[in-house]
Amino acid sequence: MNNPIRLYMSMSLDGYIAGPDDRPGQELGRDGGRLFNWLDDLESDGPSGQVYREALATGAVISGRRTFELAGRWQGDHHDGVPIFVLTHRVDDGDVPPGHARFVTDVQDCARQARAAAGDRPVMVHGAGAAQALLRAGQLDEMEIHLIPVLLGEGRRLFDHLGSDHIELDLVRRLEDRDVTHLRYQVRRSEETA
């Protein structure tokens, strides 16, 4: 696959991607910042630096609307001016996203546009809602989970509203670093699991 759509997400061992009460001003929820301590090593030559550089080498971003808003809309530039496709249920009249961002209401169309914009580079996905929508639509190819050895106990889970369909994953890479295990999974298509 030359340009996979790949989720990048830090997650606690009990499945949380943010602590409780995530909102503007407390975007990661209470104690949710703990999930991102691995970024202290983003400039290292080790695994965390490698994974971070790979994320920034992506050619487009798909984000859920909630993530986009909590991130301050990234002021229209997530990284290097790549296009940002914000998957949303609706677009209000006059709500024009800044910079390189655009709203898309159809998940298949969003995936198609992002792949085309990314060229031969991977597409980065942010947000639980976007990840779940892409998985349900058969458009999420890979997941890069930064697994943090902590139990948050409550907050926002990554796969809370995914549905009851069985989804098989293949572990294709595991990198250990200080305070994190970077796990890359490839999503098996239904024809692969039969």
Side-chain angles (χ1 to χ4, degrees), residues 102-124:
R102 67 187 79 156
F103 293 131
V104 184
T105 57
D106 179 82
V107 67
Q108 299 284 354
D109 186 40
C110 185
R112 184 189 55 71
Q113 287 186 51
R115 283 187 204 274
D120 61 351
R121 299 188 291 169
V123 175
M124 174 190 287

Side-chain angles (χ1 to χ4, degrees), residues 9-20 22 127-129 131-132 151-162:
M9 189 67 68
S10 291
M11 184 176 77
S12 68
L13 189 59
D14 53 349
Y16 293 99
I17 58 171
D22 58 331
Q132 292 174 42
L151 302 173
L152 286 184
E154 61 180 332
R156 183 166 302 280
R157 286 186 189 268
L158 179 54
F159 299 116
D160 251 359
H161 306 288
L162 189 55

